[in-house]
Amino acid sequence: MKLSRFLLLIAVLIAALAVAACGGAAPAAPKEEAAPQEEAAAEAPAEKTYEDLVVGYAQIGAESEWRTANTASIKEEAEKLGVELKFSDAQQKQENQIKAIRSFIAQQVDVIGVSPVVETGWETVFQEAKDAGIPVILVDRRADVPEELYVTYLGSDFVEEGRKAGDVMMDLLPEGGNVVELVGTVGSAPANDRAKGFREAVEGESGIEIIASQSGDFTRAKGKEVMEAFLKTHGEDIDALYAHNDDMAIGAIQAIEEYGLKPGEDILIVSIDAVRGAFEAMIAGKLNCTVECNPLLGPQFYDLALKVVNGETVDKWVPSEESVYFPEQAEALLPERKY
Ligand code: GYE
């Protein structure tokens, strides 16, 4: 074979190989890969967006400044995201919350959010939601039910809040003293846990004695009423008050003033929530400390709701981050406070 022919043959072979490699095989490959992808896309349900979400929310009521801020956060965030929200106010009655949940089930909402007013008595209705395939998210307060009956709990560590309040009380009363306690709603998670955490902190060598403990149901009116009764019985023997929320402390402040003593001086006060009213009371020198409990749970709630309906796994507890505030910081911080 002549050299020129041989070279020509080589060139033809190289060209043929090139066509086989690029032109021939290439179109086949994506076809093979595309097929399973197309199949998967056809099988998987389309991801929901916030605009597709229908959420039922069984709120407790409007017992405190905290609750008002919490409700506003849930409603405003729904509006902002385009979520369809069915909101129910149970006026602090468990039976109303249960009714609301049943009506959300009947309306086939995508997700149910609930702040259980008390811890017990939820199994039946949560099971009904589960049977209907509707996930339940506990917001703000826990319920005493088996874990498979809710997808997640979004809220605070109330025991830790109680411990923080107890630590502050020990700093305020280094020699110990007589403390009266205004308890939250009987049987509610924050009342149970804030009582527990406080006791954990002060028991032992602190010299702090809880001489009276009664529920003020988380409201100003009841806080005032119960503080009046404490004063009637114990009068000037009371060194300090531990209130499970700011509203009851604010009610108690009135009772103490009407009794003729100085709140914040004659009777030291530590409470929980860190609402604006507490900052104002600290600025006025009538409250010695407030432990923060964040009510602005709307954004995290809808984020979780969307993840849950789209089949994503979420943690069983999503805690909120919180702080402790004293009178010296109150004036500077008040303008920034959102609740
Ligand atoms: O501390 C109180 C409200 O559940 C954490 O409920 C919430 C509590 C809050 O009424 O002010």
Side-chain angles (χ1 to χ4, degrees):
M1 196 186 284
K2 278 190 175 166
L3 184 64
S4 57
R5 273 189 144 205
F6 178 71
L7 284 178
L8 185 67
L9 188 66
I10 297 267
V12 168
L13 274 173
I14 287 173
L17 276 173
V19 168
C22 313
K31 239 191 192 168
E32 269 164 27
E33 277 164 22
Q37 268 175 20
E38 274 161 22
E39 246 171 59
E43 273 169 22
E47 288 247 313
K48 287 214 181 199
T49 66
Y50 284 121
E51 284 85 9
D52 304 319
L53 265 194
V54 181
V55 172
Y57 198 90
Q59 180 59 293
I60 293 173
E63 74 282 2
S64 63
E65 261 192 67
W66 190 99
R67 189 67 50 200
T68 307
N70 179 244
T71 292
S73 173
I74 298 292
K75 286 186 175 171
E76 282 162 17
E77 196 63 19
E79 185 91 35
K80 195 171 124 193
L81 299 172
V83 171
E84 184 183 336
L85 174 66
K86 297 176 188 296
F87 184 90
S88 156
D89 175 334
Q91 311 204 317
Q92 279 171 278
K93 292 201 178 77
Q94 182 175 31
E95 65 204 74
N96 292 344
Q97 285 194 297
I98 292 173
K99 266 188 217 153
I101 293 171
R102 292 207 166 113
S103 111
F104 297 148
I105 295 171
Q107 293 173 74
Q108 295 178 310
V109 299
D110 296 308
V111 179
I112 293 173
V114 55
S115 246
V117 61
V118 291
E119 285 193 88
T120 54
W122 298 100
E123 278 203 46
T124 311
V125 74
F126 285 6
Q127 185 65 53
E128 286 166 24
K130 195 171 186 213
D131 293 345
I134 302 173
V136 169
I137 298 181
L138 303 179
V139 189
D140 152 41
R141 296 188 186 178
R142 287 179 188 280
D144 187 8
V145 292
E147 283 206 346
E148 68 269 15
L149 291 187
Y150 65 94
V151 276
T152 180
Y153 163 62
L154 162 65
S156 309
D157 183 342
F158 300 133
V159 179
E160 181 58 19
E161 291 170 355
R163 274 191 218 113
K164 287 179 186 166
D167 288 342
V168 173
M169 194 60 94
M170 290 194 290
D171 287 343
L172 291 173
L173 296 173
E175 312 290 316
N178 293 331
V179 174
V180 292
E181 180 184 33
L182 279 170
V183 176
T185 299
V186 176
S188 68
N192 293 341
D193 294 354
R194 287 169 184 173
K196 184 172 166 220
F198 186 84
R199 280 162 182 76
E200 269 178 32
V202 304
E203 75 189 2
E205 305 294 291
S206 74
I208 286 174
E209 210 192 316
I210 302 168
I211 57 167
S213 173
Q214 204 180 309
S215 173
D217 209 14
F218 282 130
T219 68
R220 283 189 194 199
K222 289 255 179 67
K224 180 168 186 247
E225 203 179 294
V226 176
M227 191 67 207
E228 280 165 2
F230 286 162
L231 285 161
K232 219 173 187 181
T233 315
H234 302 283
E236 299 197 15
D237 286 346
I238 302 169
D239 296 308
L241 161 69
Y242 166 42
H244 288 192
N245 81 341
D246 293 334
D247 282 74
M248 292 190 294
I250 291 165
I253 285 171
Q254 274 182 42
I256 296 167
E257 285 177 331
E258 285 170 20
Y259 187 81
L261 291 174
K262 282 199 174 134
E265 275 181 52
D266 299 325
I267 294 181
L268 306 173
I269 309 176
V270 178
S271 61
I272 301 181
D273 273 357
V275 294
R276 294 182 74 88
F279 278 75
E280 282 154 13
M282 287 199 292
I283 292 168
K286 297 175 182 182
L287 178 69
N288 303 85
C289 173
T290 184
V291 175
E292 186 174 40
C293 180
N294 183 10
L296 307 179
L297 302 176
Q300 277 175 291
F301 170 61
Y302 296 109
D303 177 54
L304 285 168
L306 192 62
K307 284 189 171 136
V308 165
V309 298
N310 282 328
E312 284 182 48
T313 29
V314 295
D315 290 342
K316 211 72 202 182
W317 179 12
V318 181
S320 20
E321 279 184 15
E322 287 150 1
S323 191
V324 177
Y325 301 104
F326 296 93
E328 310 82 73
Q329 314 156 275
E331 202 134 13
L333 290 179
L334 180 60
E336 298 166 20
R337 297 297 295 169
K338 301 214 163 52
Y339 53 94

